[in-house]
Amino acid sequence: AQKVTQAQTEISVVEKEDVTLDCVYETRDTTYYLFWYKQPPSGELVFLIRRNSFDEQNEISGRYSWNFQKSTSSFNFTITASQVVDSAVYFCALRTNTGFQKLVFGTGTRLLVSP
Amino acid sequence: GAGVSQSPSNKVTEKGKDVELRCDPISGHTALYWYRQSLGQGLEFLIYFQGNSAPDKSGLPSDRFSAERTGGSVSTLTIQRTQQEDSAVYLCASSLVASASSYNEQFFGPGTRLTVL
């Protein structure tokens, strides 16, 4: 079975603080993809990143960084120097080769950044 | 080019009525997916279409839910005898051909917010 757990339901920070969103996944597949999506108040899902299971290199894109650790089945997302515009619900998702027909999503983490 | 579009954007219905939700995928995308986002829940997979292959209906929560895809393009999700627990945002996504050996990005539509009174 495939499962994604985002234990943090809601996080509140003040602008310029760093924040890390946790994601833990479960799968027996050896080949899989992990994703992060952002859902702003407008409701549309915005794709942020995709990593495959063979690439454990951490990635940085501007203020965003991702830490993929297969040893702990985690794919955490850090926002550095958060801004009000970062306020949104963030979803972590998993796609396996045996379940390629779908993305399995976590329940999301609501991030509120206050000025 | 045009993205995935869904209609209506909002739908309010009374318990027991049937509703139809529409999805127009990106032109040329052979794979189409429906997901449901209920309050406090993540996105749950409902159904998947790929070309002329039999759809994967494994995520449909009950036999009140059905979907079809006509001509390999537009898809309609139908909920019969709606219940209050059906209230959710229904999201459609499409992608180029889906397979186990490769990944093609799923592009999501804006969703249809369904409220069952």
Side-chain angles (χ1 to χ4, degrees), chain A residues 31 33 35 37 39 42-45 47 50 89 91 95-98 100-108, chain B residues 33 35 37 40-45 48 50 56 58 91 98-106 108-110:
Chain A
T31 302
Y33 293 87
F35 307 79
Y37 285 86
Q39 187 177 47
S42 61
E44 290 209 33
L45 277 176
F47 167 79
R50 176 182 79 244
V89 180
F91 290 98
R95 194 213 82 150
T96 65
N97 275 12
T98 55
F100 68 89
Q101 304 90 330
K102 62 186 178 184
L103 295 174
V104 176
F105 286 85
T107 50
Chain B
Y33 316 77
Y35 294 85
Q37 184 177 12
Q41 302 291 320
L43 283 81
E44 304 169 275
F45 166 77
Y48 154 86
Q50 169 88 299
D56 177 354
S58 60
L91 288 158
S99 73
S101 59
S102 65
Y103 177 76
N104 287 308
E105 183 180 348
Q106 292 186 26
F108 284 83

Side-chain angles (χ1 to χ4, degrees), chain B residues 10-68:
Chain B
N10 280 284
K11 177 72 176 178
V12 180
T13 190
E14 293 179 350
K15 178 181 173 181
K17 295 284 180 67
D18 297 352
V19 295
E20 285 189 352
L21 312 179
R22 177 187 169 105
C23 172
D24 281 90
I26 293 172
S27 178
H29 280 189
T30 57
L32 187 146
Y33 316 77
W34 283 97
Y35 294 85
R36 176 172 73 172
Q37 184 177 12
S38 305
L39 187 64
Q41 302 291 320
L43 283 81
E44 304 169 275
F45 166 77
L46 296 177
I47 188 169
Y48 154 86
F49 295 91
Q50 169 88 299
N52 295 321
S53 302
D56 177 354
K57 305 179 182 180
S58 60
L60 295 178
S62 77
D63 58 9
R64 296 186 295 105
F65 287 71
S66 63
E68 63 178 20

Side-chain angles (χ1 to χ4, degrees), chain B residues 75-93:
Chain B
S75 177
T76 302
L77 177 68
T78 301
I79 309 173
Q80 296 178 310
R81 305 180 303 281
T82 52
Q83 304 294 311
Q84 288 183 331
E85 60 263 28
D86 299 334
S87 296
V89 176
Y90 290 82
L91 288 158
C92 176

Side-chain angles (χ1 to χ4, degrees), chain A residues 7 13 31 37-38 45 69 82-83 86 88-89 97 103 110:
Chain A
V13 299
T31 302
Y37 285 86
K38 174 181 180 180
L45 277 176
Q69 292 196 342
S82 59
Q83 300 177 359
D86 296 328
V89 180
N97 275 12
L103 295 174
R110 181 178 300 278

